[in-house]
Amino acid sequence: MDRRDRKRGLGAGNAGMGDGFLMEVCVDSVESAVNAERGGAGRIELCAGLMEGGTTPSMAGLLQVVKQCVRVPVFVMIRPRGGDFLYSDRELEVMKADTRLAKLHGADGLVFGALTEDGRIDTELCTALLAVCRPLPVTFHRAFDMVHDPLVALETLVSLGFERVLTSGCDSSALEGLPLIKRLTEQAKGRIVVVPGGGITERNLQRILEGSGAPEFHCSARSARDSGMKFRNSSVAMGASLSVSEYSLKVADVAKVRTLNAIAKNIL
């Protein structure tokens, strides 16, 4: 892909950039997608399984309905399972198939990441999957935070042609990783967008944006909502014993999204 194509790709996810910083909200439901747009999100990252850091969502169901309900760009997570980012040949085939489906059902961009066993960017897998993703813009997700050498990894992503990289600065949150995010942003020099993400709230957003120099940020802005179920069987859990109750739903909060958007606008 040539430089002109990459520039077009960078622009494809920039709805709302006229006001300065672009806010991307990760969502795993139609309700959250609608709330994110209502609150002022400039882009949505669509996932399933946010408790696992995000996995591939339903294409024919969730993606299709979300695209009917929102107008902002929707970037789709391509991650076949939770856990590490070391994928087999068969998992790559799953990722390719999911990517084709995402494009078929209207995805505006794709999000994926893959590493080698020694903590480097898996250039072979990424090259193969990027070829399927094009011409859509692609973000390398927080697998980046598990790399052996983030400065070298950033150059690898640039050479591969990724438009964005999502990172907490290889730390537990974007606030903790702020020094590295700043260094990565400076190293990127506009060749790739470094997007801070991980634990971003209204309490730390201003510090993260001012301290990093990043033009975009990523958040979930979720609140717990009690289930509408009146009959409840407290003896049964559908997931692991330590999982969140089936009767507490996490959804993007319009008020939180609006607050984060307002903070970002006021920094200018």
Side-chain angles (χ1 to χ4, degrees), residues 225-227 229 231-234 236 244-249:
R225 175 171 62 76
D226 193 47
S227 165
M229 288 294 295
F231 173 77
R232 303 186 179 194
N233 184 351
S234 59
V236 178
V244 176
S245 167
E246 278 77 27
Y247 303 113
S248 177
L249 308 176

Side-chain angles (χ1 to χ4, degrees), residues 216-240:
E216 305 182 6
F217 65 98
H218 173 98
C219 60
S220 63
R222 296 193 298 167
S223 293
R225 175 171 62 76
D226 193 47
S227 165
M229 288 294 295
K230 291 184 169 58
F231 173 77
R232 303 186 179 194
N233 184 351
S234 59
S235 300
V236 178
M238 294 294 108

Side-chain angles (χ1 to χ4, degrees), residues 30-262:
V30 177
E31 179 182 2
S32 286
V34 171
N35 287 353
E37 183 178 58
R38 285 178 57 200
R43 186 172 64 240
I44 286 169
E45 180 191 83
L46 186 64
C47 312
L50 283 176
M51 291 293 290
E52 291 187 284
T55 54
T56 306
S58 156
M59 302 300 179
L62 184 58
L63 174 58
Q64 191 170 1
V65 176
V66 164
K67 286 292 295 180
Q68 292 169 358
C69 294
V70 303
R71 299 182 65 182
V72 295
V74 177
F75 281 25
V76 175
M77 174 70 75
I78 303 297
R79 186 180 175 212
R81 55 166 173 78
D84 65 31
F85 304 101
L86 181 64
Y87 296 116
S88 68
D89 290 343
R90 287 178 176 174
E91 285 175 321
L92 172 58
E93 291 308 310
V94 172
M95 296 168 83
K96 287 180 177 178
D98 281 333
T99 298
R100 294 185 188 102
L101 283 172
K103 292 171 70 177
L104 179 66
H105 290 289
D108 298 291
L110 286 310
V111 182
F112 75 86
L115 305 178
T116 61
E117 61 184 10
D118 56 355
R120 290 171 171 77
I121 305 296
D122 188 336
T123 56
E124 184 177 349
L125 185 150
C126 287
T127 299
L129 194 52
L130 280 167
V132 182
C133 292
R134 298 307 184 194
L136 297 182
V138 186
T139 301
F140 193 94
H141 60 44
R142 285 189 60 202
F144 184 86
D145 292 324
M146 304 296 191
V147 298
H148 175 71
D149 186 330
L151 302 183
V152 171
L154 186 72
E155 292 304 318
T156 302
L157 296 183
V158 170
S159 67
L160 286 169
F162 282 90
E163 281 76 19
R164 293 173 178 82
V165 56
L166 175 63
T167 180
S168 63
C170 300
D171 215 320
S172 57
S173 71
L175 185 60
E176 296 295 325
L178 187 54
L180 179 57
I181 295 173
K182 182 176 188 294
R183 187 173 178 185
L184 291 167
T185 302
E186 291 170 348
Q187 179 180 325
K189 295 178 181 176
R191 297 173 298 159
I192 186 172
V193 180
V194 177
V195 184
I200 290 181
T201 69
E202 62 271 19
R203 294 183 297 277
N204 60 31
L205 176 61
Q206 181 171 351
R207 183 175 169 187
I208 290 168
L209 291 180
E210 290 181 340
S212 68
E216 305 182 6
F217 65 98
H218 173 98
C219 60
S220 63
R222 296 193 298 167
S223 293
R225 175 171 62 76
D226 193 47
S227 165
M229 288 294 295
K230 291 184 169 58
F231 173 77
R232 303 186 179 194
N233 184 351
S234 59
S235 300
V236 178
M238 294 294 108
S241 59
L242 297 178
S243 66
V244 176
S245 167
E246 278 77 27
Y247 303 113
S248 177
L249 308 176
K250 289 274 194 175
V251 295
D253 186 316
V254 175
K256 284 188 176 184
V257 177
R258 282 181 178 152
T259 298
L260 289 164
N261 198 31

Side-chain angles (χ1 to χ4, degrees), residues 6-22:
R6 286 200 58 217
K7 287 183 177 179
R8 285 197 291 272
L10 282 166
N14 284 357
M17 278 295 281
D19 294 319
F21 298 98
L22 184 138

